[in-house]
């Protein structure tokens, strides 16, 4: 029997074309795959594929938080184009803004593309849930969550997920335990739970 806390995670892919069936959504499978590899916890996913519509995005985020998701990750809709309204929809439902997540995601992505400066990802807390806007491309999703490692697997730049478990501790959520080879969570010593037998 697993001694890890069960966690419910909301994953939301925001795309007019994918939600209307024009092409296959790659965001949800990428998020689910990464989280399954990165966490020891048993995860229940609440997945949503929705269009770039501000009211729909806000409503979806509220529903996922109300359904008990401790973490909600979105992908898509964070650029400067007129249809990109994910950050506005996310900020509209926020109790607190967590600007460090967006700052770090842009730092990571700037190592690959100069246009990362156009990304507007935000992270917020609503109730006891952490909501994070991620980039739209599966490769960029993994890079921002995991950070950058050298050829020997040594961490060069921390990914944002290293801070997620402790943030969820602080807002009263379940104790997330990461697979160190994928992404090692950081907690102050006083916040580390003894390994369960």
């Amino acid at each position: 029997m697993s001694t890890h806390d069960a966690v419910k995670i909301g994953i939301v892919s925001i795309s007019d074309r994918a939600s209307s069936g024009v092409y296959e959504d790659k965001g949800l499978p990428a998020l689910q795959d990464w989280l399954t590899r990165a966490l020891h916890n048993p995860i229940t996913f609440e997945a949503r594929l929705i269009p770039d519509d501000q009211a729909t995005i806000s409503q979806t985020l509220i529903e996922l938080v109300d359904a008990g998701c401790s973490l909600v990750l979105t992908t898509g809709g964070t650029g400067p184009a007129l249809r990109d309204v994910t950050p506005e929809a996310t900020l509209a439902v926020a109790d607190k803004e967590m600007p460090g997540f967006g700052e770090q995601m842009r730092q990571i992505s700037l190592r690959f593309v100069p246009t990362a400066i156009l990304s507007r990802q935000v992270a917020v807390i609503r109730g006891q849930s952490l909501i994070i806007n991620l980039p739209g491309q599966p490769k960029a999703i993994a890079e921002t969550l995991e950070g950058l490692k050298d050829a020997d697997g040594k961490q060069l730049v921390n990914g944002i997920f290293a801070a997620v478990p402790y943030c969820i501790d602080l807002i009263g959520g379940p104790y997330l335990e990461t697979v160190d080879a994928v992404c090692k969570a950081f907690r102050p010593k006083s916040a580390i739970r003894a390994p369960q037998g």
Side-chain angles (χ1 to χ4, degrees):
M1 185 186 125
S2 173
T3 54
H4 303 292
D5 288 1
V7 60
K8 189 184 275 196
I9 299 178
I11 52 176
V12 185
S13 186
I14 297 155
S15 164
D16 285 335
R17 286 176 295 177
S19 65
S20 63
V22 175
Y23 62 71
E24 185 191 354
D25 171 63
K26 297 208 168 31
L28 294 174
L31 288 169
Q32 196 160 337
D33 170 68
W34 192 88
L35 289 160
T36 304
R37 287 189 295 114
L39 287 171
H40 288 293
N41 304 66
I43 307 170
T44 304
F45 287 105
E46 290 284 340
R48 305 283 187 275
L49 176 56
I50 58 174
D52 283 293
D53 172 72
Q54 190 168 334
T56 304
I57 298 166
S58 289
Q59 186 58 43
T60 301
L61 295 176
I62 291 168
E63 284 168 12
L64 291 170
V65 169
D66 289 351
C69 293
S70 309
L71 177 63
V72 178
L73 301 177
T74 72
T75 174
T78 58
L82 294 177
R83 294 292 302 159
D84 291 333
V85 293
T86 302
E88 287 73 20
T90 304
L91 292 169
V93 303
D95 294 329
K96 291 180 181 164
E97 196 176 343
M98 302 295 288
F101 285 101
E103 291 163 10
Q104 184 66 1
M105 282 190 266
R106 285 182 281 278
Q107 283 301 316
I108 292 167
S109 296
L110 276 167
R111 298 201 165 208
F112 299 98
V113 288
T115 51
I117 208 162
L118 305 177
S119 298
R120 301 184 307 117
Q121 290 100 337
V122 298
V124 304
I125 289 168
R126 178 182 175 85
Q128 289 185 296
S129 300
L130 174 61
I131 302 170
I132 306 175
N133 300 157
L134 293 170
Q137 297 302 318
K139 182 175 175 288
I141 290 171
E143 286 163 358
T144 52
L145 288 169
E146 234 167 275
L148 308 176
K149 298 180 173 105
D150 66 15
D152 301 324
K154 183 173 168 290
Q155 199 80 34
L156 298 172
V157 179
N158 283 316
I160 61 160
F161 206 84
V164 167
Y166 185 51
C167 182
I168 290 175
D169 292 351
L170 293 172
I171 59 175
Y175 190 85
L176 298 185
E177 297 181 70
T178 52
V179 176
D180 290 356
V182 178
C183 177
K184 185 171 172 45
F186 178 83
R187 284 180 169 95
K189 283 192 175 65
S190 61
I192 295 172
R193 202 190 269 183
Q196 305 293 305

